[in-house]
Amino acid sequence: MAQQRALPQSKETLLQSYNKRLKDDIKSIMDNFTEIIKTAKVRAGESLMKLVSDLKQFLILNDFPSVNEAIDQRNQQLRALQEECDRKLITLRDEVSIDLYELEEEYYSSSSSLCEANDLPLCEAYWRLDLDTDSADGLSASLLASLETGAGPLQSAAPVHSHGGGPGPTEHT
């Protein structure tokens, strides 16, 4: 009987040992499962982030309508700026042309009535310096002669022909 009692005690100890191992294994399985879930969540989160990044990249690179619209808007802005610059340049050209015409009128009206031999316009003084250095040239000699007689350089360089046709190019026969 002592053996029977010993046997149940050993069975009981053995059962307790099995029970403890079972609890430890279940706890280990639960811990492993928890870690697997955590890892899967992290991987799923990383995968989701990568998917979002890929979608953004695809949208940026392949969204041709919005890219074309942005290009069209920039082209319109630049064309408007170009037109504004062109208008300002044309206005400036017209103003400078008017001022230059008025200055020429003033210059030629004052130089023809008050011109003395020593008060040469700048261009004639330059031409005179040029003529002094190269007087062997026929054109230069004729310009020098015209300057000494009081005629302007342009008047002596081109012969004046009086035709009934009025101003303009003349034909020689």
Side-chain angles (χ1 to χ4, degrees), residues 56-126:
K56 284 181 181 179
Q57 183 178 3
F58 177 80
L59 183 62
I60 289 170
L61 294 177
N62 297 317
D63 189 15
F64 294 117
S66 66
V67 170
N68 289 338
E69 183 179 333
I71 290 171
D72 289 341
Q73 287 177 352
R74 184 66 178 154
N75 282 340
Q76 288 175 354
Q77 290 172 347
L78 292 175
R79 283 193 182 114
L81 181 63
Q82 179 185 6
E83 290 173 2
E84 181 183 347
C85 288
D86 288 346
R87 282 194 304 271
K88 287 181 179 180
L89 284 173
I90 289 171
T91 303
L92 186 63
R93 180 200 63 191
D94 293 343
E95 291 174 0
V96 167
S97 175
I98 291 169
D99 291 343
L100 182 62
Y101 179 76
E102 291 173 355
L103 287 171
E104 285 176 346
E105 288 289 320
E106 181 67 27
Y107 173 76
Y108 289 122
S109 68
S110 67
S111 68
S112 64
S113 64
L114 301 174
C115 184
E116 295 181 10
N118 293 335
D119 294 336
L120 292 175
L122 186 59
C123 66
E124 290 180 16
Y126 174 75

